[in-house]
């Protein structure tokens, strides 16, 4: 499976992995804020040119702007007389190239802007078309509302929405897919299940939609409704779910004692509060008698790399390698464990094909250190790093700037991590009495405890 939130990005010091796992957001006007202007486009080009991890074709990048405008005109049923082509000397001065590009873009925008299609909408389409030419679903523009929601979603807390994590399944041509409905939320109560395909939102097909636009359409004010048309495995006809948005409180960590000796901790994402929450969960479970732990990373698509380092450190000795990040120049930044105040207990990490990014950093670090085992199914395989660059006029640009590697130097991008114990199971069995992955984890840990006692 492929928050795309998605999501490893850095906001100048805070790095975040985004496989783009998105949940419902706060109460906002869902209309997209149009703040893209020529200055923003120039800034985006400069950042991509300087920071994007791969070499890219600048001619295709600039001409993507006109492809984006062509697409929006087609959607509006407005005829485009001719698709312009921007040509330039790639060895020339960037300042002059940008000046010439801006002139050509202004000419096209002036020709087609109208009461039905504003300058802002045309420039937004131009920017989307440019970024699309990078062929990287993780490099995107975030308008101010999207950027605010992203920051808020990573802090846990309170939101207005339907309570659902979604992503684009790259194995199914980027089909918009339900990762997990959050227990107790409208999406959960309505009966949405992991693996459901969202084929329409309020009657509009989702084929070709990017994740951020999908999230914007699903979010909305409290007590308003959204209709999701779902195609479910083994069900012939699509099902319409009319779901009322509600006020939702979400914690990044939940925990419980699943047997006398086994503590269970589920991480929904690696957020700003995760370190505190998992530390408290471990302490509480230890007081209740836990002598081993299950760390459930199933359906966890990522989060802050700092949180991944903090979580990994709960189970690793001080100084142990957790992850290294390599940028396009070949420079590496290595993260190491800060150590833990908790006793060393047997550990199982539950993973599946929705476990990505920060989840894979944690899983890779624990296994490479031979500190615990992975149980479940192969992880997603997202090994790229995104950096968030805030823009002066609001919003931000998220750019893929590096790749990450496990402590043993493995690049898991597109490959994932194969569990030590493979237990296949449908995602909709997670958390039910038919959760055989959980059963196998408990069985394994109880046997390990017996060995340690003998």
């Amino acid at each position: 499976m492929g928050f795309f939130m998605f999501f490893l990005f850095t906001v100048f010091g805070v790095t975040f992995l985004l496989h783009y796992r998105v949940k419902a957001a706060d109460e906002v006007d869902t209309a997209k804020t149009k703040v893209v202007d020529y200055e923003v486009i120039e800034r985006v080009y400069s950042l991509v040119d300087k920071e994007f991890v791969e070499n890219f074709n600048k001619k295709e990048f600039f001409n993507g702007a006109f492809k984006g405008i062509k697409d929006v005109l087609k959607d509006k049923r407005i005829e485009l007389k001719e698709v312009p082509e921007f040509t330039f000397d790639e060895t020339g001065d960037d300042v002059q190239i940008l000046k010439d590009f801006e002139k050509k873009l202004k000419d096209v925008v002036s020709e087609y802007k109208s009461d039905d299609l504003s300058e802002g909408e045309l420039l937004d389409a131009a920017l989307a078309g440019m970024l699309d030419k990078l062929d990287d679903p993780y490099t995107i523009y975030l308008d101010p509302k999207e950027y605010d929601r992203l920051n808020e979603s990573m802090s846990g807390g309170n939101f207005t929405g339907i309570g659902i994590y979604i992503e684009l399944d790259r194995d199914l041509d980027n089909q918009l897919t339900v990762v997990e409905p959050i227990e107790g939320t409208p999406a959960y109560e309505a009966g949405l299940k992991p693996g459901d395909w969202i084929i329409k939102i309020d009657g509009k097909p989702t084929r070709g939609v990017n994740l951020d636009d999908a999230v914007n359409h699903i979010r909305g004010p409290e007590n308003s409704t959204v209709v999701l048309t779902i195609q479910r495995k083994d069900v012939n006809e699509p099902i319409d779910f009319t779901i009322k948005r509600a006020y939702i409180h979400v914690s990044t960590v939940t925990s419980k004692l699943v047997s006398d000796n086994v503590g269970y901790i589920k991480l929904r994402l690696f957020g700003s509060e995760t370190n505190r929450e998992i530390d408290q969960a471990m302490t509480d479970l230890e007081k209740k008698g836990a002598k081993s732990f299950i760390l459930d990373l199933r359906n966890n698509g990522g989060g802050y790399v700092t949180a991944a380092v903090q979580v990994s450190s709960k189970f690793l000795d001080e100084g142990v390698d957790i992850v290294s990040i390599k940028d396009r120049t070949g420079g590496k930044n290595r993260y190491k464990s800060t150590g833990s105040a908790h006793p060393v207990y047997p550990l199982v990490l539950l993973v599946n094909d929705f476990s990505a990014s920060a989840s894979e950093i944690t899983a890779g670090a624990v296994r490479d250190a031979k500190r615990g085992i992975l149980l479940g199914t192969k992880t997603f395989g997202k090994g790229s790093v995104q950096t968030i660059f805030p823009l002066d006029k609001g919003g931000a640009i998220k750019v893929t700037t590096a790749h990450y590697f496990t402590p043993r130097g493995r690049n898991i991008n597109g490959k994932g991590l194969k569990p030590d114990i493979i237990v296949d199971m449908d995602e909709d069995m997670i958390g039910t009495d038919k959760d055989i992955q959980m059963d196998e984890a408990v069985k394994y840990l109880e046997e390990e405890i017996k060995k340690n006692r003998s």
Side-chain angles (χ1 to χ4, degrees):
M1 294 287 180
F3 116 41
F4 307 127
M5 53 253 192
F6 318 243
F7 254 42
L8 179 53
F9 72 64
T10 304
V11 185
F12 299 118
V14 181
T15 307
F16 173 60
L17 279 137
L18 193 60
H19 162 63
Y20 207 64
R21 176 80 36 97
V22 182
K23 55 176 169 286
D26 52 336
E27 181 175 346
V28 291
D29 178 3
T30 56
K32 190 176 180 69
T33 306
K34 302 296 178 185
V35 295
V36 175
D37 60 16
Y38 297 100
E39 184 179 328
V40 168
I41 288 177
E42 179 179 336
R43 174 65 174 152
V44 167
Y45 164 73
S46 297
L47 286 169
V48 170
D49 185 44
K50 181 181 178 182
E51 304 289 349
F52 189 60
V53 69
E54 307 288 353
N55 293 323
F56 66 99
N57 187 312
K58 292 184 180 181
K59 180 179 179 181
E60 289 185 0
F61 184 78
F62 282 117
N63 281 289
F66 305 113
K67 173 65 165 59
I69 289 175
K70 179 182 178 181
D71 290 343
V72 77
L73 291 173
K74 183 178 179 181
D75 289 343
K76 296 282 187 178
R77 300 179 184 275
I78 300 172
E79 182 181 355
L80 178 64
K81 299 171 185 176
E82 183 181 357
V83 179
E85 182 177 5
F86 178 59
T87 58
F88 59 95
D89 180 1
E90 293 194 31
T91 64
D93 178 62
D94 264 0
V95 173
Q96 187 60 49
I97 291 172
L98 284 167
K99 183 178 179 181
D100 294 343
F101 171 71
E102 182 177 322
K103 181 180 183 303
K104 184 174 281 287
L105 184 58
K106 281 182 175 179
D107 290 343
V108 174
V109 169
S110 296
E111 183 173 359
Y112 289 102
K113 69 179 181 180
S114 65
D115 292 340
D116 296 326
L117 195 58
S118 69
E119 178 181 65
E121 289 174 304
L122 286 163
L123 290 174
D124 190 72
L127 179 55
M130 295 168 75
L131 294 176
D132 186 59
K133 289 299 180 182
L134 297 175
D135 194 26
D136 174 33
Y138 302 105
T139 297
I140 58 172
Y141 166 73
L142 302 170
D143 72 29
K145 289 180 180 178
E146 291 167 340
Y147 183 38
D148 288 344
R149 290 171 187 165
L150 179 60
N151 287 329
E152 290 171 2
S153 72
M154 290 308 298
S155 65
N158 304 311
F159 305 90
T160 299
I162 67 171
I164 190 173
Y165 294 104
I166 61 175
E167 69 179 7
L168 300 175
D169 186 345
R170 66 183 183 190
D171 292 333
L172 295 168
D173 195 23
N174 287 339
Q175 173 63 55
L176 189 64
T177 303
V178 175
V179 174
E180 181 184 13
I182 301 170
E183 187 172 353
T185 64
Y188 184 89
E189 299 299 333
L192 293 185
K193 297 181 179 181
D196 281 347
W197 300 345
I198 304 174
I199 60 175
K200 292 182 183 179
I201 303 172
D202 284 334
K204 184 176 180 180
T206 60
R207 176 59 60 190
V209 71
N210 71 51
L211 199 63
D212 296 290
D213 286 342
V215 170
N216 287 336
H217 285 101
I218 292 173
R219 292 167 170 170
E222 186 176 9
N223 293 322
S224 63
T225 59
V226 61
V227 179
L228 302 184
T229 303
I230 298 297
Q231 183 66 61
R232 180 167 291 168
K233 190 191 310 180
D234 300 326
V235 177
N236 292 331
E237 296 297 323
I239 309 168
D240 282 340
F241 289 85
T242 301
I243 306 173
K244 182 182 287 188
R245 301 176 178 102
Y247 185 72
I248 298 165
H249 174 74
V250 179
S251 174
T252 67
V253 174
T254 58
S255 62
K256 61 183 177 180
L257 203 63
V258 292
S259 77
D260 290 342
N261 298 308
V262 180
Y264 169 82
I265 299 174
K266 179 176 180 61
L267 267 62
R268 297 189 182 279
L269 54 81
F270 290 78
S272 59
E273 296 298 312
T274 301
N275 183 47
R276 178 187 60 81
E277 291 174 355
I278 192 172
D279 194 58
Q280 186 62 56
M282 291 179 71
T283 299
D284 291 345
L285 291 170
E286 287 163 1
K287 288 179 179 178
K288 293 177 181 178
K291 301 297 182 185
S292 62
F293 284 104
I294 296 170
L295 184 62
D296 191 349
L297 301 178
R298 295 175 297 181
N299 296 345
N300 183 323
Y304 296 109
V305 73
T306 49
V309 171
Q310 290 163 344
V311 169
S312 300
S313 294
K314 304 295 182 205
F315 307 102
L316 301 175
D317 292 335
E318 184 177 356
V320 172
D321 285 344
I322 292 176
V323 67
S324 60
I325 296 171
K326 184 177 180 181
D327 63 25
R328 73 176 185 179
T329 68
K332 279 190 176 183
N333 187 15
R334 192 178 299 274
Y335 293 82
K336 294 179 179 290
S337 170
T338 57
S340 175
H342 297 275
V344 177
Y345 289 135
L347 174 65
V348 171
L349 275 61
L350 294 178
V351 295
N352 66 359
D353 54 355
F354 288 102
S355 304
S357 295
S359 289
E360 292 173 299
I361 282 181
T362 302
V366 167
R367 183 161 69 179
D368 281 4
K370 298 183 179 180
R371 177 60 186 82
I373 68 160
L374 310 186
L375 188 151
T377 56
K378 189 175 70 171
T379 63
F380 174 76
K382 179 182 181 293
S384 62
V385 178
Q386 283 70 49
T387 301
I388 288 282
F389 297 94
L391 300 173
D392 291 341
K393 295 190 175 182
I397 176 74
K398 177 164 68 73
V399 182
T400 296
T401 55
H403 297 290
Y404 76 80
F405 299 82
T406 68
R408 293 188 179 180
R410 289 176 294 181
N411 181 353
I412 56 90
N413 201 50
K415 303 172 185 177
L417 295 168
K418 184 179 179 181
D420 302 283
I421 300 175
I422 297 175
V423 180
D424 291 318
M425 187 184 81
D426 287 341
E427 282 86 0
D428 56 4
M429 295 295 103
I430 293 175
T432 72
D433 57 4
K434 296 180 181 179
D435 190 341
I436 58 174
Q437 292 172 341
M438 171 78 87
D439 293 342
E440 288 297 317
V442 172
K443 179 181 176 181
Y444 173 86
L445 289 171
E446 288 179 339
E447 290 176 353
E448 289 297 303
I449 291 171
K450 288 180 182 178
K451 290 179 185 177
N452 292 340
R453 287 174 177 169
S454 60

